[in-house]
Amino acid sequence: MPTITFVDPHGIEHDVEGDVGQSLMTVAVNHDIPGIEGECGGEMACGTCHVYVADTAGCVPPPRTTDEAEMLEVLIDGVKPTSRLGCQIRVGPELDGLSVTVPSE
Amino acid sequence: MNEHHDVVIVGAGHAGVNLAAYLSKGGYQGSVALLSNETILPYKRPPLSKGFLLDAEPLESLPLRTAEYWAASPVDLQLGVEVLEVRPDEQTVVTASGRELTYGRLVWAAGGRARSLPLPGATLPGVHQVRTLDDVLALKQELPRASRAVFVGGGYIGLETAAAFRGLGLDVTVIEAAGRVLERVTSAEISEYFHRVHREAGVDIRLGATVKEFTERDGRVASVVLGDGEVPADVVVVGIGLVPNIDILAAAGASCSNGIEVDELCRTSLPAVSAIGDCTSQLNPYAPDRRMRLESVQNANEQAKVVASDLLGRPAASGEVPKFWSDQYHIKLKTAGLIAGHDQMVVRGDPGSGVFSVLYLSAGRLVAIDSVNNPVDFAKGSALIKQRAQIAPEVLADSAQPLQETGLPLTAPGARSRVG
Ligand SMILES: Cc1cc2nc3c(=O)[nH]c(=O)nc-3n(C[C@H](O)[C@H](O)[C@H](O)COP(=O)(O)OP(=O)(O)OC[C@H]3O[C@@H](n4cnc5c(N)ncnc54)[C@H](O)[C@@H]3O)c2cc1C
Ligand code: FES
């Protein structure tokens, strides 16, 4: 199983295993990662799965779709180039070792 | 000796599970027991009338948390445990097997059950309801040999299930006693839109129709008898609302009306007893001066958050705008705010295009939005509702302008802030 590192709003790192096909939001919710709620269940309607995804160890998730980019702008104050909705990123073998940061809000 | 927990949560639905998760995420130091009278891992209900019926969402995706989550969690999830009695003086709950558990705080999160029809034939095989996973598994088993389905009740869950059945190729009739579908929950504009979409999909909707009885053939339901006529049916789904599970707490002395009455911190009238989710009735800051019982995942989450903060000794989160969603065919409806007591309504965009919103105003302020296939309006509308924004109806109606940038000041004088 791919391992994903979530850096929570307190700066604490959580290394967790995700199932292939699960979204980063679902993985986070199943590991009580602080700051990630996934309130809308992955409908791109709440923004409570916002994470920053940097290019770590060559792990790059597929780019945002237009819908995701549009909803990020609407839902998140101060979107950064690395901002993503965790519910829109599916875990795959290529993401093993990915590190994402949960914004502090 | 009695089993004691600092927190006993009764009911492991969206409300109970989220509370347990907020407590463990928040580093709660006490012991937490989460009791469920269901025997399977706590699961999501919304897919039951949507993707799960259509096999778009598999059984494995239904649990709210994985088995590994519960194995690692400090929360003691106890499945197959039904609470029958609450003794507030002794801070004790009694289970069906006679076990007594004492609590520091009891959180009642028992949701509700499907309302049944007290009519002849209503308990025949082939007559179903849609509230639990078991309900829906039983319904799915009927599908291979059913070709005619009749729905009693045109609410969101009934219409979602009807849409799924149409998608699976069944003949579908919807019987609605009121003058329009969704009458209890939304405006005439949205009702008409869904009515039209269902009609175009081939659903036969009978408005103002009353069911007299269900007839039987070969030990199964065979038809639904109406005040004026009869509709043959291989399978019937009764979706006429929810009865909140309040009886046990009411018997213990808690103030109840349409639900268990709770204050802004979700405390009941009983000492050391809170209540959250579908079973509660609360004054809502988005519908001033009105007690409401909301049936939504978001309300269950919000109230769970409030009780978690209360138990963790942290300030309660400020009132989020109530939200709800419904998926039918290709339509994603999203609602923010409460459609109750508005005095003005604005349609934004063309319903004929399948992308539009209906905005609801009260004394010039935006109080609610129904958005159809328009997530951007929904998100912007939610934010404006939270600000109690005043926006001119002409501006709202102009879908060429984004909802936020109206050029008018988005002042919120006299906005009511949530207590706590
Ligand atoms: C088919 C369907 C579709 C829905 N779609 C949507 C949607 O699209 N969007 C939305 O926002 N909402 C939707 N809802 C509503 C949403 O699911 C509810 O608002 C939510 O489940 C409420 O959570 P709850 O925890 O209060 O209650 P529940 O989820 O009902 O959980 C209560 C739990 O308590 C248990 N329980 C009851 N009594 C006892 C007892 N005495 N002892 C032990 N356990 C007990 C019950 O068995 C149940 O497991 C839908 C509901 C259904 C049924
Ligand atoms: S979970 Fe709501 S936007 Fe991702």
Coordinates of all heavy atoms in Angstrom, one line a residue, chain B residues 3-17 19-20 31-42 45 70 75-86 91-103 105-111 245 248 276:
Chain B
E3 N -20.2 -0.9 34.2 CA -19.2 -0.4 33.2 C -19.4 1.1 33.1 O -20.5 1.6 33.0 CB -19.6 -1.0 31.8 CG -18.7 -0.6 30.7 CD -19.2 -1.4 29.4 OE1 -19.8 -2.4 29.5 OE2 -18.9 -0.8 28.3
H4 N -18.3 1.9 33.3 CA -18.4 3.3 33.3 C -17.6 3.9 32.1 O -16.5 3.5 31.8 CB -17.9 3.9 34.6 CG -17.9 5.5 34.6 ND1 -19.1 6.2 34.8 CD2 -17.0 6.4 34.2 CE1 -18.8 7.5 34.7 NE2 -17.6 7.6 34.3
H5 N -18.2 4.9 31.5 CA -17.4 5.7 30.4 C -17.7 7.2 30.7 O -18.8 7.6 31.1 CB -17.9 5.3 29.0 CG -17.7 3.9 28.7 ND1 -16.5 3.4 28.2 CD2 -18.5 2.8 28.8 CE1 -16.6 2.1 28.0 NE2 -17.8 1.7 28.3
D6 N -16.7 7.9 30.4 CA -16.8 9.4 30.6 C -17.9 9.9 29.6 O -18.7 10.8 29.9 CB -15.5 10.1 30.4 CG -14.5 9.7 31.4 OD1 -14.8 9.9 32.6 OD2 -13.4 9.1 31.1
V7 N -17.9 9.3 28.4 CA -18.9 9.7 27.4 C -19.5 8.4 26.8 O -18.8 7.5 26.4 CB -18.2 10.5 26.3 CG1 -19.3 10.9 25.2 CG2 -17.6 11.8 26.8
V8 N -20.8 8.4 26.9 CA -21.5 7.3 26.2 C -22.3 7.9 25.1 O -23.1 8.8 25.3 CB -22.4 6.5 27.2 CG1 -23.3 5.5 26.4 CG2 -21.6 5.8 28.2
I9 N -22.1 7.5 23.8 CA -22.8 8.0 22.7 C -23.7 6.9 22.3 O -23.3 5.7 22.0 CB -21.8 8.3 21.5 CG1 -20.7 9.2 22.0 CG2 -22.6 8.9 20.4 CD1 -19.6 9.4 21.0
V10 N -25.0 7.2 22.2 CA -26.0 6.2 21.7 C -26.4 6.4 20.3 O -27.0 7.5 20.0 CB -27.3 6.2 22.6 CG1 -28.3 5.2 22.1 CG2 -26.9 5.9 24.1
G11 N -26.0 5.5 19.4 CA -26.3 5.7 18.0 C -25.0 6.0 17.2 O -24.3 6.9 17.6
A12 N -24.6 5.1 16.3 CA -23.4 5.3 15.5 C -23.7 5.7 14.0 O -23.2 5.0 13.1 CB -22.5 4.1 15.6
G13 N -24.5 6.7 13.9 CA -24.8 7.2 12.5 C -23.8 8.3 12.2 O -22.7 8.4 12.8
H14 N -24.1 9.2 11.3 CA -23.3 10.3 11.0 C -22.9 11.2 12.2 O -21.8 11.6 12.4 CB -23.9 11.2 9.9 CG -23.9 10.5 8.5 ND1 -22.9 10.7 7.6 CD2 -24.8 9.7 8.0 CE1 -23.2 10.0 6.5 NE2 -24.3 9.4 6.7
A15 N -23.9 11.4 13.1 CA -23.7 12.3 14.2 C -22.8 11.6 15.2 O -21.7 12.1 15.6 CB -25.0 12.6 14.9
G16 N -23.1 10.4 15.6 CA -22.4 9.7 16.7 C -20.9 9.4 16.2 O -20.0 9.6 17.0
V17 N -20.7 9.0 15.0 CA -19.4 8.6 14.5 C -18.5 9.9 14.4 O -17.4 9.9 14.8 CB -19.5 7.9 13.2 CG1 -18.1 7.8 12.5 CG2 -20.0 6.5 13.4
L19 N -18.9 12.6 16.1 CA -18.5 13.1 17.5 C -17.3 12.2 18.0 O -16.4 12.8 18.5 CB -19.7 12.9 18.4 CG -19.4 13.2 19.9 CD1 -18.8 14.6 20.1 CD2 -20.7 13.0 20.8
A20 N -17.4 10.9 17.9 CA -16.3 10.1 18.3 C -15.0 10.5 17.7 O -14.0 10.6 18.3 CB -16.7 8.6 18.0
S31 N -12.7 8.2 28.6 CA -13.1 7.0 27.9 C -14.4 7.3 27.1 O -15.3 8.0 27.7 CB -13.3 5.9 28.8 OG -14.3 6.2 29.8
V32 N -14.5 6.8 25.9 CA -15.7 7.0 25.1 C -16.2 5.7 24.6 O -15.5 4.9 24.0 CB -15.3 7.9 23.9 CG1 -16.6 8.1 23.0 CG2 -14.7 9.2 24.3
A33 N -17.5 5.4 24.8 CA -18.2 4.3 24.3 C -19.2 4.7 23.2 O -19.9 5.7 23.5 CB -18.9 3.4 25.4
L34 N -19.2 4.0 22.1 CA -20.1 4.4 21.0 C -21.0 3.1 20.8 O -20.5 2.1 20.3 CB -19.3 4.7 19.8 CG -20.0 5.0 18.5 CD1 -21.0 6.2 18.6 CD2 -19.0 5.4 17.4
L35 N -22.3 3.3 21.1 CA -23.2 2.1 21.0 C -24.1 2.2 19.8 O -24.7 3.2 19.5 CB -24.1 2.0 22.3 CG -23.4 2.3 23.6 CD1 -24.5 2.1 24.8 CD2 -22.3 1.3 23.9
S36 N -24.2 1.0 19.1 CA -25.0 1.0 17.9 C -25.9 -0.3 18.0 O -25.4 -1.4 18.3 CB -24.2 0.9 16.7 OG -25.0 0.6 15.5
N37 N -27.2 -0.1 17.7 CA -28.0 -1.3 17.7 C -27.9 -2.0 16.3 O -28.6 -3.0 16.1 CB -29.5 -0.9 18.0 CG -30.1 0.1 17.1 OD1 -29.4 0.5 16.1 ND2 -31.3 0.5 17.3
E38 N -27.2 -1.4 15.4 CA -26.9 -2.1 14.1 C -25.7 -3.0 14.3 O -24.9 -2.8 15.2 CB -26.8 -1.2 13.0 CG -28.0 -0.3 12.8 CD -28.0 0.5 11.5 OE1 -28.2 -0.1 10.4 OE2 -27.8 1.7 11.5
T39 N -25.6 -4.1 13.5 CA -24.6 -5.1 13.8 C -23.4 -5.0 12.7 O -22.5 -5.8 12.7 CB -25.1 -6.5 13.7 OG1 -25.9 -6.6 12.5 CG2 -26.0 -6.8 14.9
I40 N -23.5 -3.9 11.9 CA -22.4 -3.8 10.9 C -21.7 -2.5 11.2 O -22.2 -1.6 11.9 CB -23.0 -3.7 9.5 CG1 -24.2 -2.8 9.5 CG2 -23.4 -5.1 9.0 CD1 -24.7 -2.5 8.1
L41 N -20.5 -2.3 10.6 CA -19.7 -1.1 10.8 C -20.6 0.1 10.4 O -21.3 0.1 9.4 CB -18.5 -1.1 9.9 CG -17.3 -1.9 10.2 CD1 -16.2 -1.7 9.3 CD2 -16.9 -1.6 11.7
P42 N -20.5 1.2 11.2 CA -21.3 2.4 10.9 C -21.1 2.9 9.4 O -19.9 2.9 8.9 CB -20.8 3.4 11.9 CG -20.3 2.6 13.0 CD -19.7 1.4 12.4
R45 N -25.4 7.0 4.9 CA -26.8 6.8 4.4 C -27.0 7.4 3.0 O -27.7 6.8 2.2 CB -27.8 7.3 5.4 CG -27.9 6.4 6.6 CD -28.9 6.8 7.6 NE -28.6 6.3 8.9 CZ -28.8 5.0 9.3 NH1 -29.4 4.2 8.5 NH2 -28.4 4.6 10.5
W70 N -11.4 1.6 13.4 CA -12.0 1.3 14.7 C -11.0 0.5 15.6 O -11.0 0.6 16.8 CB -13.3 0.6 14.6 CG -14.4 1.5 13.9 CD1 -14.9 1.4 12.7 CD2 -14.9 2.7 14.5 NE1 -15.8 2.4 12.5 CE2 -15.8 3.2 13.5 CE3 -14.8 3.4 15.7 CZ2 -16.6 4.4 13.8 CZ3 -15.5 4.5 15.9 CH2 -16.4 5.0 15.0
V75 N -11.8 4.9 20.9 CA -13.2 4.8 21.1 C -13.7 3.3 21.1 O -13.3 2.6 20.3 CB -14.0 5.6 20.0 CG1 -15.5 5.3 20.1 CG2 -13.7 7.1 20.1
D76 N -14.5 3.0 22.1 CA -15.0 1.6 22.2 C -16.3 1.5 21.5 O -17.4 1.8 22.0 CB -15.2 1.3 23.7 CG -15.7 -0.1 24.0 OD1 -15.7 -0.9 23.1 OD2 -16.1 -0.3 25.2
L77 N -16.2 1.1 20.2 CA -17.4 0.9 19.4 C -18.0 -0.4 19.7 O -17.4 -1.5 19.6 CB -17.0 0.9 17.9 CG -18.2 0.6 16.9 CD1 -19.3 1.6 16.9 CD2 -17.6 0.4 15.5
Q78 N -19.3 -0.4 20.2 CA -20.0 -1.6 20.6 C -21.2 -1.8 19.6 O -22.1 -1.0 19.7 CB -20.5 -1.6 22.0 CG -19.3 -1.3 23.0 CD -19.8 -1.4 24.5 OE1 -20.9 -1.9 24.7 NE2 -19.0 -0.9 25.4
L79 N -21.1 -2.8 18.7 CA -22.1 -3.1 17.8 C -23.2 -4.0 18.4 O -22.9 -4.8 19.3 CB -21.5 -3.7 16.5 CG -20.6 -2.8 15.7 CD1 -20.0 -3.5 14.5 CD2 -21.2 -1.5 15.3
G80 N -24.4 -3.9 17.9 CA -25.5 -4.8 18.3 C -25.9 -4.5 19.8 O -26.4 -5.4 20.4
V81 N -25.7 -3.3 20.2 CA -26.1 -2.9 21.5 C -27.2 -1.9 21.5 O -27.0 -0.8 21.0 CB -24.9 -2.4 22.3 CG1 -25.3 -1.9 23.7 CG2 -23.8 -3.4 22.5
E82 N -28.4 -2.3 21.9 CA -29.5 -1.4 21.9 C -29.8 -0.8 23.3 O -29.9 -1.6 24.2 CB -30.8 -2.1 21.4 CG -32.0 -1.3 21.5 CD -32.9 -1.4 20.3 OE1 -32.5 -2.1 19.3 OE2 -34.0 -0.8 20.3
V83 N -29.9 0.5 23.4 CA -30.3 1.1 24.7 C -31.8 1.2 24.8 O -32.5 1.6 23.9 CB -29.6 2.5 24.8 CG1 -30.2 3.2 26.0 CG2 -28.1 2.4 24.9
L84 N -32.3 0.7 25.9 CA -33.8 0.7 26.1 C -34.2 1.7 27.1 O -35.4 2.1 27.1 CB -34.2 -0.7 26.5 CG -34.1 -1.9 25.5 CD1 -34.7 -3.1 26.0 CD2 -34.8 -1.5 24.2
E85 N -33.3 2.1 28.0 CA -33.7 3.0 29.1 C -32.6 3.9 29.5 O -31.4 3.5 29.5 CB -34.2 2.1 30.3 CG -34.8 2.9 31.4 CD -35.0 2.0 32.7 OE1 -34.8 0.8 32.6 OE2 -35.3 2.7 33.7
V86 N -33.0 5.1 29.8 CA -32.0 6.1 30.4 C -32.5 6.4 31.8 O -33.7 6.8 32.0 CB -31.9 7.3 29.5 CG1 -31.0 8.4 30.2 CG2 -31.4 7.0 28.1
Q91 N -27.4 8.5 36.2 CA -26.5 8.6 35.0 C -26.1 7.3 34.4 O -24.9 6.9 34.2 CB -25.2 9.4 35.4 CG -25.6 10.8 35.8 CD -24.4 11.9 35.7 OE1 -24.6 13.0 36.2 NE2 -23.3 11.5 35.1
T92 N -27.2 6.5 34.1 CA -27.0 5.2 33.7 C -27.9 4.9 32.4 O -29.0 5.4 32.4 CB -27.5 4.2 34.8 OG1 -26.7 4.4 35.9 CG2 -27.4 2.7 34.4
V93 N -27.4 4.1 31.5 CA -28.2 3.6 30.4 C -28.3 2.1 30.6 O -27.4 1.4 31.1 CB -27.7 3.9 29.0 CG1 -27.7 5.4 28.8 CG2 -26.4 3.3 28.7
V94 N -29.5 1.5 30.2 CA -29.7 0.1 30.3 C -29.9 -0.5 28.9 O -30.7 0.1 28.1 CB -31.0 -0.2 31.2 CG1 -31.1 -1.7 31.4 CG2 -30.9 0.6 32.5
T95 N -29.2 -1.5 28.6 CA -29.2 -2.1 27.3 C -30.3 -3.2 27.2 O -30.8 -3.7 28.2 CB -27.9 -2.6 26.8 OG1 -27.6 -3.9 27.5 CG2 -26.8 -1.7 27.0
A96 N -30.6 -3.7 26.0 CA -31.6 -4.7 25.8 C -31.2 -6.0 26.5 O -32.0 -6.8 26.9 CB -31.7 -5.0 24.3
S97 N -29.9 -6.2 26.6 CA -29.4 -7.4 27.3 C -29.3 -7.3 28.8 O -28.9 -8.1 29.5 CB -28.1 -7.9 26.8 OG -27.1 -6.9 27.1
G98 N -29.8 -6.1 29.3 CA -29.8 -5.8 30.7 C -28.6 -5.3 31.3 O -28.4 -5.0 32.5
R99 N -27.6 -5.0 30.4 CA -26.3 -4.4 30.9 C -26.6 -3.0 31.3 O -27.4 -2.3 30.7 CB -25.3 -4.5 29.7 CG -23.9 -4.6 30.1 CD -23.1 -5.3 29.1 NE -23.2 -4.8 27.8 CZ -22.4 -3.9 27.2 NH1 -21.4 -3.4 27.9 NH2 -22.6 -3.5 26.0
E100 N -25.9 -2.5 32.4 CA -26.0 -1.1 32.8 C -24.7 -0.4 32.6 O -23.6 -0.9 33.0 CB -26.4 -1.0 34.2 CG -27.8 -1.6 34.5 CD -28.3 -1.5 35.9 OE1 -27.6 -0.8 36.7 OE2 -29.4 -1.9 36.2
L101 N -24.7 0.7 31.9 CA -23.5 1.5 31.7 C -23.7 2.9 32.3 O -24.7 3.5 32.1 CB -23.2 1.7 30.2 CG -22.7 0.6 29.4 CD1 -23.9 -0.3 28.9 CD2 -21.9 1.1 28.1
T102 N -22.7 3.3 33.1 CA -22.9 4.7 33.7 C -22.0 5.6 32.8 O -21.1 5.2 32.2 CB -22.4 4.7 35.1 OG1 -21.1 4.2 35.2 CG2 -23.3 3.9 36.0
Y103 N -22.5 6.9 32.9 CA -21.8 7.9 32.0 C -21.5 9.2 32.8 O -22.2 9.5 33.7 CB -22.7 8.2 30.8 CG -24.1 8.7 31.1 CD1 -24.3 10.0 31.5 CD2 -25.2 7.8 31.1 CE1 -25.6 10.5 31.8 CE2 -26.5 8.3 31.4 CZ -26.7 9.6 31.7 OH -27.9 10.0 32.0
R105 N -21.1 11.9 30.6 CA -22.0 12.6 29.7 C -22.6 11.6 28.8 O -21.9 10.7 28.2 CB -21.2 13.6 28.9 CG -22.0 14.4 27.8 CD -22.9 15.5 28.4 NE -22.0 16.6 28.9 CZ -21.6 17.6 28.2 NH1 -22.0 17.8 27.0 NH2 -20.8 18.5 28.7
L106 N -23.9 11.7 28.6 CA -24.6 10.9 27.6 C -24.9 11.7 26.4 O -25.3 12.9 26.5 CB -25.9 10.4 28.2 CG -26.9 9.6 27.2 CD1 -26.2 8.3 26.8 CD2 -28.2 9.3 27.9
V107 N -24.6 11.2 25.2 CA -24.9 11.9 24.0 C -25.9 11.0 23.2 O -25.5 10.0 22.7 CB -23.7 12.3 23.2 CG1 -24.1 13.1 21.9 CG2 -22.7 13.1 24.0
W108 N -27.1 11.5 23.0 CA -28.1 10.8 22.3 C -28.0 11.1 20.8 O -28.2 12.3 20.4 CB -29.5 11.2 22.9 CG -30.6 10.2 22.5 CD1 -31.5 10.4 21.5 CD2 -30.8 8.9 23.0 NE1 -32.3 9.3 21.4 CE2 -31.9 8.4 22.3 CE3 -30.2 8.1 24.0 CZ2 -32.4 7.1 22.6 CZ3 -30.7 6.9 24.3 CH2 -31.8 6.4 23.6
A109 N -27.7 10.1 20.0 CA -27.5 10.4 18.6 C -28.2 9.3 17.8 O -27.7 8.6 17.0 CB -26.0 10.4 18.3
A110 N -29.5 9.1 18.2 CA -30.2 7.9 17.8 C -31.0 8.0 16.5 O -31.7 7.1 16.0 CB -31.2 7.4 18.9
G111 N -30.9 9.2 15.9 CA -31.5 9.4 14.5 C -33.0 9.2 14.5 O -33.7 9.7 15.4
N245 N -36.1 9.3 16.8 CA -36.0 8.3 17.9 C -35.8 9.1 19.3 O -34.7 9.3 19.7 CB -34.9 7.4 17.7 CG -35.2 6.3 16.7 OD1 -36.3 6.0 16.5 ND2 -34.2 5.9 15.9
I248 N -37.2 7.2 24.1 CA -36.5 6.7 25.3 C -36.1 7.9 26.2 O -36.2 7.9 27.4 CB -35.3 5.8 24.9 CG1 -35.9 4.5 24.3 CG2 -34.4 5.5 26.1 CD1 -34.9 3.6 23.6
I276 N -27.7 15.0 19.5 CA -27.2 15.5 18.2 C -27.9 14.8 17.1 O -28.3 13.6 17.2 CB -25.7 15.4 18.1 CG1 -25.2 14.0 18.4 CG2 -25.0 16.4 19.0 CD1 -23.7 13.8 18.2

